[in-house]
Amino acid sequence: MFNLDGQVAFVTGAAKGLGLAMAEITAQSGAHVVMTDINSEALDVSVKRLRAQGLDVHGEVVDVADIELLARTIDDAAARFGRLDIVFANAGLSAGSGPLAENGGMAQVDLDRWNRLLQINLTSVFVTIRTAAAHMMKQRSGRLIVTASVAGVRGERMCGYAYAATKAAISNLVRQSSIELSPHNVTINAIAPGPFLTDIGQGRLHDANVAAGFIADVPMGRLGQPDEIKGLALLLASPASSYITGTVIPIDGGATAS
Ligand SMILES: NC(=O)c1ccc[n+]([C@@H]2O[C@H](COP(=O)([O-])OP(=O)(O)OC[C@H]3O[C@@H](n4cnc5c(N)ncnc54)[C@H](O)[C@@H]3O)[C@@H](O)[C@H]2O)c1
């Protein structure tokens, strides 16, 4: 049920954090994984680390803001391997502090930064979905997994405006896309993480005060570790999730329940 032997996967933002964990579990379950990221040095380190485990992965430097390159890289992967089974649209940027912080109020929102967030967190996710879905619909199978956020499910006082808005937008993009993709046996779901200890937002979660602000809303009383995304990522990437589509699944230590 969780075996991915012979499958081809593609991950954006795979050099670090949650995307790296998604790439690792997918490769450990048998898939060939195309790991893409804007950060060529970090990508190189991660690809080498996974290959040293004997995993079948390779890296491609892709800035998801370059939507032509992004689409071409997805098309090339499908052509090169003759199939495309699993795509994680994961790359995303933080918008910094939340609405109650000194520099996070709506008056402080910089519209250039706002537009950059819309590009990376929304438009590039749509292009990833659309490009991959064309291959998956043809082969009549596929798993699309989008990294949303609990900040897209409800208001989140620790996250910036553009982040909350774009994560809500991609959550509904997942529901909307499932209507078109379901008859083609292609599933699409979103993972909505609570706070995980990664380098997102220039590493702000490594700051004890920032971490404490997030943890205050988490009944389990701690941040998630990147490895803890693996179970849900594998579920949504594998045959085990054959009847799950159009959903946004929180993985948040209870944050959205409280
Ligand atoms: N860490 C959290 O608390 C948290 C919570 C909810 C959602 N998320 C989401 O998880 C996803 C992954 O974030 P993370 O926490 O692992 O952060 P991270 O910063 O550790 O990793 C993100 C990766 O994406 C890459 N990236 C950034 N911009 C890119 C671009 N333009 N093109 C290609 N790659 C790019 C980075 O180089 C990095 O390797 C994001 O969509 C983020 O919004 C994270």
PDB file of all heavy atoms in Angstrom, residues 10-17 19-20 34-44 46 59-64 69 90-91:
ATOM      1  N   PHE A  10       8.517  14.265  -8.108  1.00  0.00           N
ATOM      2  CA  PHE A  10       9.111  15.588  -8.351  1.00  0.00           C
ATOM      3  C   PHE A  10       8.770  16.454  -7.142  1.00  0.00           C
ATOM      4  O   PHE A  10       7.605  16.528  -6.746  1.00  0.00           O
ATOM      5  CB  PHE A  10       8.490  16.165  -9.633  1.00  0.00           C
ATOM      6  CG  PHE A  10       9.089  17.453 -10.116  1.00  0.00           C
ATOM      7  CD1 PHE A  10      10.013  17.451 -11.160  1.00  0.00           C
ATOM      8  CD2 PHE A  10       8.710  18.671  -9.567  1.00  0.00           C
ATOM      9  CE1 PHE A  10      10.564  18.635 -11.635  1.00  0.00           C
ATOM     10  CE2 PHE A  10       9.254  19.861 -10.041  1.00  0.00           C
ATOM     11  CZ  PHE A  10      10.180  19.844 -11.078  1.00  0.00           C
ATOM     12  N   VAL A  11       9.778  17.104  -6.563  1.00  0.00           N
ATOM     13  CA  VAL A  11       9.545  17.903  -5.351  1.00  0.00           C
ATOM     14  C   VAL A  11      10.134  19.299  -5.546  1.00  0.00           C
ATOM     15  O   VAL A  11      11.304  19.428  -5.936  1.00  0.00           O
ATOM     16  CB  VAL A  11      10.222  17.251  -4.117  1.00  0.00           C
ATOM     17  CG1 VAL A  11       9.867  18.018  -2.837  1.00  0.00           C
ATOM     18  CG2 VAL A  11       9.846  15.782  -3.987  1.00  0.00           C
ATOM     19  N   THR A  12       9.364  20.341  -5.256  1.00  0.00           N
ATOM     20  CA  THR A  12       9.930  21.705  -5.263  1.00  0.00           C
ATOM     21  C   THR A  12      10.317  22.091  -3.836  1.00  0.00           C
ATOM     22  O   THR A  12       9.674  21.667  -2.870  1.00  0.00           O
ATOM     23  CB  THR A  12       8.936  22.749  -5.831  1.00  0.00           C
ATOM     24  OG1 THR A  12       7.810  22.862  -4.952  1.00  0.00           O
ATOM     25  CG2 THR A  12       8.470  22.376  -7.232  1.00  0.00           C
ATOM     26  N   GLY A  13      11.387  22.876  -3.717  1.00  0.00           N
ATOM     27  CA  GLY A  13      11.865  23.263  -2.386  1.00  0.00           C
ATOM     28  C   GLY A  13      12.380  22.054  -1.625  1.00  0.00           C
ATOM     29  O   GLY A  13      12.124  21.903  -0.421  1.00  0.00           O
ATOM     30  N   ALA A  14      13.143  21.196  -2.322  1.00  0.00           N
ATOM     31  CA  ALA A  14      13.528  19.891  -1.758  1.00  0.00           C
ATOM     32  C   ALA A  14      14.884  19.891  -1.065  1.00  0.00           C
ATOM     33  O   ALA A  14      15.312  18.867  -0.552  1.00  0.00           O
ATOM     34  CB  ALA A  14      13.528  18.836  -2.872  1.00  0.00           C
ATOM     35  N   ALA A  15      15.575  21.038  -1.053  1.00  0.00           N
ATOM     36  CA  ALA A  15      16.932  21.041  -0.491  1.00  0.00           C
ATOM     37  C   ALA A  15      16.930  20.988   1.025  1.00  0.00           C
ATOM     38  O   ALA A  15      17.896  20.534   1.634  1.00  0.00           O
ATOM     39  CB  ALA A  15      17.687  22.289  -0.956  1.00  0.00           C
ATOM     40  N   LYS A  16      15.844  21.479   1.633  1.00  0.00           N
ATOM     41  CA  LYS A  16      15.850  21.618   3.091  1.00  0.00           C
ATOM     42  C   LYS A  16      14.453  21.372   3.650  1.00  0.00           C
ATOM     43  O   LYS A  16      13.472  21.295   2.907  1.00  0.00           O
ATOM     44  CB  LYS A  16      16.252  23.054   3.465  1.00  0.00           C
ATOM     45  CG  LYS A  16      17.685  23.371   3.152  1.00  0.00           C
ATOM     46  CD  LYS A  16      18.213  24.490   4.046  1.00  0.00           C
ATOM     47  CE  LYS A  16      17.944  25.846   3.477  1.00  0.00           C
ATOM     48  NZ  LYS A  16      18.416  26.939   4.312  1.00  0.00           N
ATOM     49  N   GLY A  17      14.384  21.317   4.961  1.00  0.00           N
ATOM     50  CA  GLY A  17      13.109  21.369   5.671  1.00  0.00           C
ATOM     51  C   GLY A  17      12.114  20.300   5.276  1.00  0.00           C
ATOM     52  O   GLY A  17      12.459  19.117   5.101  1.00  0.00           O
ATOM     53  N   GLY A  19      10.385  19.859   2.469  1.00  0.00           N
ATOM     54  CA  GLY A  19      10.544  19.292   1.120  1.00  0.00           C
ATOM     55  C   GLY A  19      11.606  18.206   1.092  1.00  0.00           C
ATOM     56  O   GLY A  19      11.451  17.189   0.395  1.00  0.00           O
ATOM     57  N   LEU A  20      12.662  18.397   1.851  1.00  0.00           N
ATOM     58  CA  LEU A  20      13.709  17.372   1.935  1.00  0.00           C
ATOM     59  C   LEU A  20      13.149  16.098   2.586  1.00  0.00           C
ATOM     60  O   LEU A  20      13.408  14.986   2.112  1.00  0.00           O
ATOM     61  CB  LEU A  20      14.907  17.913   2.725  1.00  0.00           C
ATOM     62  CG  LEU A  20      16.031  16.925   3.023  1.00  0.00           C
ATOM     63  CD1 LEU A  20      16.587  16.289   1.757  1.00  0.00           C
ATOM     64  CD2 LEU A  20      17.162  17.624   3.797  1.00  0.00           C
ATOM     65  N   VAL A  34      13.024  13.489  -8.343  1.00  0.00           N
ATOM     66  CA  VAL A  34      13.674  14.682  -8.891  1.00  0.00           C
ATOM     67  C   VAL A  34      13.538  15.765  -7.833  1.00  0.00           C
ATOM     68  O   VAL A  34      12.430  16.229  -7.542  1.00  0.00           O
ATOM     69  CB  VAL A  34      13.011  15.133 -10.208  1.00  0.00           C
ATOM     70  CG1 VAL A  34      13.779  16.316 -10.809  1.00  0.00           C
ATOM     71  CG2 VAL A  34      12.899  13.980 -11.201  1.00  0.00           C
ATOM     72  N   MET A  35      14.665  16.128  -7.226  1.00  0.00           N
ATOM     73  CA  MET A  35      14.664  17.131  -6.154  1.00  0.00           C
ATOM     74  C   MET A  35      15.024  18.481  -6.761  1.00  0.00           C
ATOM     75  O   MET A  35      16.096  18.626  -7.348  1.00  0.00           O
ATOM     76  CB  MET A  35      15.685  16.754  -5.080  1.00  0.00           C
ATOM     77  CG  MET A  35      15.351  15.438  -4.387  1.00  0.00           C
ATOM     78  SD  MET A  35      16.695  14.834  -3.305  1.00  0.00           S
ATOM     79  CE  MET A  35      16.824  16.137  -2.087  1.00  0.00           C
ATOM     80  N   THR A  36      14.142  19.478  -6.624  1.00  0.00           N
ATOM     81  CA  THR A  36      14.425  20.793  -7.201  1.00  0.00           C
ATOM     82  C   THR A  36      14.454  21.855  -6.101  1.00  0.00           C
ATOM     83  O   THR A  36      13.737  21.748  -5.102  1.00  0.00           O
ATOM     84  CB  THR A  36      13.385  21.192  -8.268  1.00  0.00           C
ATOM     85  OG1 THR A  36      12.126  21.440  -7.630  1.00  0.00           O
ATOM     86  CG2 THR A  36      13.216  20.106  -9.321  1.00  0.00           C
ATOM     87  N   ASP A  37      15.285  22.866  -6.313  1.00  0.00           N
ATOM     88  CA  ASP A  37      15.381  23.952  -5.336  1.00  0.00           C
ATOM     89  C   ASP A  37      16.109  25.126  -5.977  1.00  0.00           C
ATOM     90  O   ASP A  37      16.867  24.960  -6.931  1.00  0.00           O
ATOM     91  CB  ASP A  37      16.154  23.491  -4.082  1.00  0.00           C
ATOM     92  CG  ASP A  37      15.799  24.306  -2.834  1.00  0.00           C
ATOM     93  OD1 ASP A  37      16.304  25.444  -2.694  1.00  0.00           O
ATOM     94  OD2 ASP A  37      15.001  23.811  -2.008  1.00  0.00           O
ATOM     95  N   ILE A  38      15.907  26.306  -5.421  1.00  0.00           N
ATOM     96  CA  ILE A  38      16.624  27.499  -5.885  1.00  0.00           C
ATOM     97  C   ILE A  38      18.052  27.534  -5.325  1.00  0.00           C
ATOM     98  O   ILE A  38      18.943  28.158  -5.903  1.00  0.00           O
ATOM     99  CB  ILE A  38      15.845  28.768  -5.452  1.00  0.00           C
ATOM    100  CG1 ILE A  38      16.367  30.018  -6.156  1.00  0.00           C
ATOM    101  CG2 ILE A  38      15.876  28.954  -3.945  1.00  0.00           C
ATOM    102  CD1 ILE A  38      15.540  31.270  -5.856  1.00  0.00           C
ATOM    103  N   ASN A  39      18.265  26.884  -4.187  1.00  0.00           N
ATOM    104  CA  ASN A  39      19.545  26.936  -3.470  1.00  0.00           C
ATOM    105  C   ASN A  39      20.429  25.765  -3.917  1.00  0.00           C
ATOM    106  O   ASN A  39      20.294  24.642  -3.423  1.00  0.00           O
ATOM    107  CB  ASN A  39      19.250  26.886  -1.962  1.00  0.00           C
ATOM    108  CG  ASN A  39      20.499  27.002  -1.110  1.00  0.00           C
ATOM    109  OD1 ASN A  39      21.599  26.714  -1.564  1.00  0.00           O
ATOM    110  ND2 ASN A  39      20.319  27.415   0.127  1.00  0.00           N
ATOM    111  N   SER A  40      21.329  26.057  -4.870  1.00  0.00           N
ATOM    112  CA  SER A  40      22.079  24.952  -5.490  1.00  0.00           C
ATOM    113  C   SER A  40      23.029  24.283  -4.497  1.00  0.00           C
ATOM    114  O   SER A  40      23.195  23.068  -4.530  1.00  0.00           O
ATOM    115  CB  SER A  40      22.845  25.449  -6.717  1.00  0.00           C
ATOM    116  OG  SER A  40      23.776  26.417  -6.337  1.00  0.00           O
ATOM    117  N   GLU A  41      23.615  25.063  -3.590  1.00  0.00           N
ATOM    118  CA  GLU A  41      24.562  24.449  -2.631  1.00  0.00           C
ATOM    119  C   GLU A  41      23.841  23.502  -1.674  1.00  0.00           C
ATOM    120  O   GLU A  41      24.276  22.370  -1.464  1.00  0.00           O
ATOM    121  CB  GLU A  41      25.257  25.533  -1.803  1.00  0.00           C
ATOM    122  CG  GLU A  41      26.457  26.117  -2.514  1.00  0.00           C
ATOM    123  CD  GLU A  41      26.977  27.359  -1.812  1.00  0.00           C
ATOM    124  OE1 GLU A  41      27.009  27.373  -0.571  1.00  0.00           O
ATOM    125  OE2 GLU A  41      27.332  28.309  -2.532  1.00  0.00           O
ATOM    126  N   ALA A  42      22.752  23.973  -1.093  1.00  0.00           N
ATOM    127  CA  ALA A  42      22.008  23.123  -0.148  1.00  0.00           C
ATOM    128  C   ALA A  42      21.447  21.900  -0.871  1.00  0.00           C
ATOM    129  O   ALA A  42      21.421  20.791  -0.321  1.00  0.00           O
ATOM    130  CB  ALA A  42      20.877  23.932   0.490  1.00  0.00           C
ATOM    131  N   LEU A  43      21.033  22.101  -2.131  1.00  0.00           N
ATOM    132  CA  LEU A  43      20.483  20.977  -2.902  1.00  0.00           C
ATOM    133  C   LEU A  43      21.555  19.912  -3.122  1.00  0.00           C
ATOM    134  O   LEU A  43      21.310  18.714  -2.940  1.00  0.00           O
ATOM    135  CB  LEU A  43      19.948  21.497  -4.243  1.00  0.00           C
ATOM    136  CG  LEU A  43      19.274  20.464  -5.147  1.00  0.00           C
ATOM    137  CD1 LEU A  43      18.027  19.877  -4.486  1.00  0.00           C
ATOM    138  CD2 LEU A  43      18.887  21.096  -6.495  1.00  0.00           C
ATOM    139  N   ASP A  44      22.735  20.383  -3.469  1.00  0.00           N
ATOM    140  CA  ASP A  44      23.851  19.474  -3.706  1.00  0.00           C
ATOM    141  C   ASP A  44      24.143  18.629  -2.459  1.00  0.00           C
ATOM    142  O   ASP A  44      24.303  17.409  -2.536  1.00  0.00           O
ATOM    143  CB  ASP A  44      25.070  20.339  -4.091  1.00  0.00           C
ATOM    144  CG  ASP A  44      26.118  19.532  -4.794  1.00  0.00           C
ATOM    145  OD1 ASP A  44      25.723  18.695  -5.613  1.00  0.00           O
ATOM    146  OD2 ASP A  44      27.311  19.725  -4.486  1.00  0.00           O
ATOM    147  N   SER A  46      22.129  17.928   0.032  1.00  0.00           N
ATOM    148  CA  SER A  46      21.034  17.002   0.348  1.00  0.00           C
ATOM    149  C   SER A  46      20.978  15.841  -0.642  1.00  0.00           C
ATOM    150  O   SER A  46      20.741  14.694  -0.244  1.00  0.00           O
ATOM    151  CB  SER A  46      19.697  17.751   0.359  1.00  0.00           C
ATOM    152  OG  SER A  46      19.702  18.670   1.423  1.00  0.00           O
ATOM    153  N   GLY A  59      19.213  16.023  -8.506  1.00  0.00           N
ATOM    154  CA  GLY A  59      18.834  17.400  -8.239  1.00  0.00           C
ATOM    155  C   GLY A  59      18.800  18.254  -9.491  1.00  0.00           C
ATOM    156  O   GLY A  59      19.557  18.026 -10.428  1.00  0.00           O
ATOM    157  N   GLU A  60      17.879  19.237  -9.505  1.00  0.00           N
ATOM    158  CA  GLU A  60      17.814  20.222 -10.595  1.00  0.00           C
ATOM    159  C   GLU A  60      17.594  21.583  -9.928  1.00  0.00           C
ATOM    160  O   GLU A  60      16.672  21.715  -9.119  1.00  0.00           O
ATOM    161  CB  GLU A  60      16.614  19.965 -11.510  1.00  0.00           C
ATOM    162  CG  GLU A  60      16.540  18.565 -12.064  1.00  0.00           C
ATOM    163  CD  GLU A  60      16.908  18.516 -13.545  1.00  0.00           C
ATOM    164  OE1 GLU A  60      17.307  19.559 -14.100  1.00  0.00           O
ATOM    165  OE2 GLU A  60      16.788  17.422 -14.109  1.00  0.00           O
ATOM    166  N   VAL A  61      18.419  22.549 -10.300  1.00  0.00           N
ATOM    167  CA  VAL A  61      18.250  23.886  -9.721  1.00  0.00           C
ATOM    168  C   VAL A  61      17.112  24.594 -10.456  1.00  0.00           C
ATOM    169  O   VAL A  61      17.192  24.821 -11.668  1.00  0.00           O
ATOM    170  CB  VAL A  61      19.556  24.701  -9.813  1.00  0.00           C
ATOM    171  CG1 VAL A  61      19.348  26.117  -9.272  1.00  0.00           C
ATOM    172  CG2 VAL A  61      20.668  23.992  -9.042  1.00  0.00           C
ATOM    173  N   VAL A  62      16.058  24.896  -9.724  1.00  0.00           N
ATOM    174  CA  VAL A  62      14.889  25.570 -10.310  1.00  0.00           C
ATOM    175  C   VAL A  62      14.382  26.612  -9.318  1.00  0.00           C
ATOM    176  O   VAL A  62      14.106  26.292  -8.160  1.00  0.00           O
ATOM    177  CB  VAL A  62      13.734  24.565 -10.589  1.00  0.00           C
ATOM    178  CG1 VAL A  62      12.512  25.292 -11.125  1.00  0.00           C
ATOM    179  CG2 VAL A  62      14.169  23.467 -11.540  1.00  0.00           C
ATOM    180  N   ASP A  63      14.263  27.848  -9.806  1.00  0.00           N
ATOM    181  CA  ASP A  63      13.565  28.888  -9.052  1.00  0.00           C
ATOM    182  C   ASP A  63      12.109  28.814  -9.500  1.00  0.00           C
ATOM    183  O   ASP A  63      11.808  29.066 -10.678  1.00  0.00           O
ATOM    184  CB  ASP A  63      14.177  30.256  -9.390  1.00  0.00           C
ATOM    185  CG  ASP A  63      13.418  31.415  -8.756  1.00  0.00           C
ATOM    186  OD1 ASP A  63      12.376  31.186  -8.118  1.00  0.00           O
ATOM    187  OD2 ASP A  63      13.878  32.559  -8.924  1.00  0.00           O
ATOM    188  N   VAL A  64      11.192  28.470  -8.584  1.00  0.00           N
ATOM    189  CA  VAL A  64       9.798  28.287  -9.005  1.00  0.00           C
ATOM    190  C   VAL A  64       9.165  29.586  -9.519  1.00  0.00           C
ATOM    191  O   VAL A  64       8.123  29.541 -10.181  1.00  0.00           O
ATOM    192  CB  VAL A  64       8.913  27.668  -7.894  1.00  0.00           C
ATOM    193  CG1 VAL A  64       9.353  26.264  -7.540  1.00  0.00           C
ATOM    194  CG2 VAL A  64       8.843  28.564  -6.666  1.00  0.00           C
ATOM    195  N   LEU A  69      10.760  27.897 -16.752  1.00  0.00           N
ATOM    196  CA  LEU A  69      11.747  26.877 -16.370  1.00  0.00           C
ATOM    197  C   LEU A  69      11.082  25.786 -15.520  1.00  0.00           C
ATOM    198  O   LEU A  69      11.344  24.592 -15.707  1.00  0.00           O
ATOM    199  CB  LEU A  69      12.902  27.529 -15.596  1.00  0.00           C
ATOM    200  CG  LEU A  69      13.943  26.560 -15.026  1.00  0.00           C
ATOM    201  CD1 LEU A  69      14.681  25.821 -16.135  1.00  0.00           C
ATOM    202  CD2 LEU A  69      14.945  27.297 -14.136  1.00  0.00           C
ATOM    203  N   ASN A  90       5.797  22.199  -3.052  1.00  0.00           N
ATOM    204  CA  ASN A  90       6.138  22.479  -1.645  1.00  0.00           C
ATOM    205  C   ASN A  90       6.827  23.819  -1.417  1.00  0.00           C
ATOM    206  O   ASN A  90       6.681  24.421  -0.349  1.00  0.00           O
ATOM    207  CB  ASN A  90       7.026  21.334  -1.131  1.00  0.00           C
ATOM    208  CG  ASN A  90       7.683  21.675   0.185  1.00  0.00           C
ATOM    209  OD1 ASN A  90       7.033  21.699   1.232  1.00  0.00           O
ATOM    210  ND2 ASN A  90       8.977  21.977   0.135  1.00  0.00           N
ATOM    211  N   ALA A  91       7.591  24.302  -2.399  1.00  0.00           N
ATOM    212  CA  ALA A  91       8.381  25.520  -2.166  1.00  0.00           C
ATOM    213  C   ALA A  91       7.460  26.666  -1.733  1.00  0.00           C
ATOM    214  O   ALA A  91       6.389  26.863  -2.309  1.00  0.00           O
ATOM    215  CB  ALA A  91       9.150  25.909  -3.425  1.00  0.00           C
TER     216      ALA A  91
END
